[in-house]
Amino acid sequence: MKNLRFLPAIDQLKNDKRFITLLEKQTLSETRLTTILKDHVDLIRNNLLSGVYGDQSFNREQLTELIFKLLYKTLIEDMTDYLKPVINATGVVLHTNLGRARLSSKAVQQIKQTALSYSTLEYDIQTGQRGSRHNLVEHYLTTLTGAEAAMVVNNNAAAVYLVLKTLAENREVIISRGELVEIGGSFRISEIMEESDAKLVDVGTTNKTHLHDYADAITEDTALLMKVHKSNFKIIGFSEEIDTSQLTDLSQAHDVPIYEDLGSGTLFDFKSKFIGNEPTVQEKVAQGIDIISFSGDKLLGGPQAGIIIGKKDYINRLKKHQLARVLRVDKFTLAGIEGTLKSYLNKQEADEIPTVRDILENKKTILKRAQSFINHFSNVNSDFIFTISEGYSKVGGGTMPDVDLKTYLVIVSHPVLSSTKIAQKLRLGKHPVIVRIQQDKVILDFRTISPEEVQPLVNIFLDLSNTH
Ligand SMILES: *Cc1c(COP(=O)(O)O)cnc(C)c1O
């Protein structure tokens, strides 16, 4: 309590050089800075009253120092980076809350170049005239997928909306009831459809839809036959659905185009490596589907985007719609997509694109990485106990929900700290680590921890070991 009387007055603090310097450096007004200062004085007062500092005694200068130290921390350290890099130790490769795909260095390089200089975003080098940003990655996308034309919008949800609004406004769209899915809690096909003023005609039942269900529903008002890839769940048992390829005859006979929302379309054939059963985008194009859309930051491993490919007539109509301007992507996204697609064109995606590489990573490599982590602790004193165990990782991002990827895990335990406490400390550090807790144990899955992250992760554990 005796310390309290040394607590400096606000006016005194405001005349302090340190306050004046802050006022010069910060963009905050004097009023705002004074309010923050008052909050910090209150905080210290409360700390003194509640005995946070124990028996320690302070003089006026020491308390002033303490207040400014806290103020600096709030204003300078804590204000940096709300969007921080984290180490994803969950083993979920496409973790939607952690930003889905990590970009390849090629993609990052191209984004960096584009950011630092002027670019050909809407400039045609050949003619010296205005160009279109829609054409920038079109060539790569058509070469890779075999489609006639392509365009890119903000995300796949925007792609679905643009397709429905442009091609089916006030007309009917036939879709199987089993495909009226909700993705990630905020995106429902039926609601997007309503929003776009397309009329939903759902056919079949939740578990079974037959070809004749589609055929019977076609009218003069039918604008599209729509298929939605069931990415985040699987109907098993007594069920039947029509593959999009079975709809092509019907589509041609009635001159109604087919649109498939592939969700996380992949250019890499994971099923050829015995991972899941996802059709590739190329296969879908070869089946003659008129319009296909998919996400840029799911299995493709690029930046957030919605990629739309298909027949030229339809894509041109999409490009011309007013909404294309609303949903358009910026130059960084285009640069990121181009950098990503280059790896596919060079057939280097399995090495260069983190998403593809992490999904394919064999468990021996993961084991070595986990061991190299543990080896760092062999000669140091750490309270943490690490053991290696076999386990499973997930693809994530609502993709291949039934696929378990074999992996190696490091199980972390501590003589005093509970698993939730360890997870919390890891989460709240300067370089946050997000872990999985399973059966009351903290688990680090080395599939999603890159080799470059091993040393930082070691340092984080060493710091925690010294400070808990
Ligand atoms: C993920 C997904 C979407 C939404 O894609 P975003 O790029 O996240 O907007 C739409 N449809 C399906 C089938 C999906 O899996």
Side-chain angles (χ1 to χ4, degrees):
M1 291 303 163
K2 59 184 187 308
N3 291 318
L4 268 183
R5 66 193 167 93
F6 291 122
L7 206 59
I10 298 295
D11 277 343
Q12 245 171 340
L13 290 167
K14 284 183 69 179
N15 285 324
D16 193 291
K17 238 199 234 134
R18 285 163 285 193
F19 185 83
I20 296 163
T21 314
L22 269 179
L23 202 54
E24 282 166 2
K25 278 196 189 156
Q26 293 283 324
T27 49
L28 297 172
S29 69
E30 186 173 340
T31 324
R32 181 78 193 112
L33 199 59
T34 308
T35 310
I36 300 173
L37 178 71
K38 279 182 185 155
D39 290 345
H40 284 75
V41 174
D42 286 345
L43 181 73
I44 301 277
R45 181 181 296 112
N46 286 335
N47 283 351
L48 288 169
L49 283 170
S50 58
V52 168
Y53 306 114
D55 303 334
Q56 221 173 325
S57 56
F58 298 96
N59 60 29
R60 192 172 305 274
E61 182 45 41
Q62 284 166 327
L63 282 177
T64 309
E65 175 80 30
L66 199 60
I67 292 165
F68 278 112
K69 229 171 115 181
L70 265 179
L71 190 62
Y72 267 82
K73 193 169 146 43
T74 311
L75 290 175
I76 293 157
E77 287 177 35
D78 295 356
M79 260 210 184
T80 53
D81 298 349
Y82 278 102
L83 185 60
K84 315 181 195 220
V86 305
I87 295 178
N88 172 11
T90 65
V92 178
V93 179
L94 292 168
H95 198 302
T96 298
N97 304 139
L98 302 181
R100 285 197 188 150
R102 278 192 278 193
L103 294 187
S104 69
S105 352
K106 270 210 179 95
V108 172
Q109 191 53 36
Q110 191 142 356
I111 292 172
K112 189 176 161 191
Q113 272 174 11
T114 310
L116 288 172
S117 36
Y118 294 104
S119 62
T120 54
L121 181 65
E122 290 188 349
Y123 188 81
D124 186 334
I125 291 279
Q126 298 297 331
T127 60
Q129 307 279 314
R130 187 197 164 120
S132 163
R133 71 176 72 204
H134 287 308
N135 300 338
L136 286 177
V137 290
E138 183 165 31
H139 177 69
Y140 280 178
L141 283 168
T142 52
T143 307
L144 283 164
T145 63
E148 288 176 12
M151 73 181 289
V152 179
V153 290
N154 185 54
N155 56 15
N156 189 32
V160 176
Y161 182 59
L162 179 63
V163 170
L164 292 175
K165 192 84 187 169
T166 310
L167 303 177
E169 191 175 20
N170 298 323
R171 298 185 63 207
E172 292 171 358
V173 177
I174 302 177
I175 184 169
S176 159
R177 198 161 289 168
E179 292 167 19
L180 287 174
V181 295
E182 173 173 310
I183 297 133
S186 58
F187 177 81
R188 276 191 188 156
I189 292 293
S190 54
E191 283 172 13
I192 286 274
M193 190 113 39
E194 207 175 299
E195 208 58 54
S196 66
D197 296 317
K199 286 184 228 158
L200 172 74
V201 179
D202 52 340
V203 297
T205 59
T206 309
N207 60 334
K208 282 201 176 194
T209 302
H210 307 276
L211 190 56
H212 64 77
D213 290 322
Y214 287 92
D216 293 348
I218 291 182
T219 69
E220 284 202 336
D221 242 1
T222 308
L224 285 174
L225 302 177
M226 183 172 178
K227 288 284 294 179
V228 178
H229 192 60
K230 286 203 278 280
S231 22
N232 56 353
F233 69 104
K234 208 176 158 78
I235 294 179
I236 46 172
F238 188 67
S239 69
E240 189 169 325
E241 70 169 304
I242 296 297
D243 187 75
T244 320
S245 58
Q246 294 169 268
L247 290 177
T248 47
D249 287 345
L250 195 63
S251 149
Q252 273 157 21
H254 293 86
D255 200 21
V256 176
I258 308 174
Y259 164 42
E260 181 153 9
D261 169 15
L262 263 188
S264 51
T266 179
L267 297 179
F268 182 86
D269 193 6
F270 286 102
K271 62 182 165 357
S272 75
K273 304 285 182 191
F274 307 104
I275 297 173
N277 203 19
E278 289 286 308
T280 62
V281 177
Q282 304 85 293
E283 285 164 9
K284 285 287 169 184
V285 173
Q287 287 174 359
I289 295 162
D290 302 281
I291 308 127
I292 296 171
S293 73
F294 55 99
S295 289
D297 56 352
K298 288 186 181 170
L299 288 177
L300 187 76
Q304 176 191 304
I307 295 173
I308 313 173
I309 57 170
K311 307 244 165 86
K312 220 178 194 126
D313 286 353
Y314 301 117
I315 302 293
N316 280 344
R317 281 173 63 190
L318 299 181
K319 284 179 182 170
K320 282 191 196 122
H321 198 281
Q322 273 304 312
L323 265 180
R325 175 70 168 76
V326 177
L327 304 174
R328 77 179 189 184
V329 293
D330 69 359
K331 55 189 177 180
F332 307 121
T333 303
L334 289 166
I337 291 176
E338 189 166 343
T340 304
L341 295 179
K342 271 183 195 158
S343 296
Y344 285 97
L345 283 167
N346 299 328
K347 300 208 185 308
Q348 295 298 312
E349 66 271 29
D351 293 324
E352 293 179 354
I353 297 184
T355 302
V356 180
R357 188 189 61 210
D358 291 350
I359 294 170
L360 295 177
E361 196 75 286
N362 76 50
K363 59 181 219 176
K364 269 197 200 134
T365 315
I366 300 172
L367 175 61
K368 276 198 199 133
R369 213 178 294 157
Q371 280 166 337
S372 85
F373 169 78
I374 292 188
N375 289 343
H376 281 92
F377 296 90
S378 52
N379 294 319
V380 291
N381 265 335
S382 161
D383 300 336
F384 289 99
I385 303 146
F386 302 109
T387 47
I388 291 189
S389 148
E390 289 193 13
Y392 296 98
S393 324
K394 282 288 186 187
V395 175
T399 304
M400 302 198 245
D402 52 338
V403 170
D404 290 316
L405 303 163
K406 280 189 185 156
T407 191
Y408 278 97
L409 311 167
V410 168
I411 300 168
V412 185
S413 49
H414 190 278
V416 185
L417 300 175
S418 68
S419 57
T420 39
K421 196 75 200 167
I422 299 173
Q424 187 198 38
K425 281 177 176 289
L426 288 168
R427 206 171 64 232
L428 297 178
K430 216 174 192 171
H431 188 178
V433 182
I434 313 301
V435 300
R436 207 153 94 200
I437 294 183
Q438 219 167 295
Q439 289 166 346
D440 208 25
K441 290 264 190 295
V442 167
I443 285 174
L444 310 173
D445 185 339
F446 276 75
R447 177 181 297 277
T448 47
I449 301 170
S450 67
E452 302 78 45
E453 285 170 332
V454 171
Q455 187 63 53
L457 190 61
V458 170
N459 296 342
I460 288 164
F461 273 100
L462 289 177
D463 284 348
L464 279 186
S465 203
N466 295 330
T467 58
H468 88 85

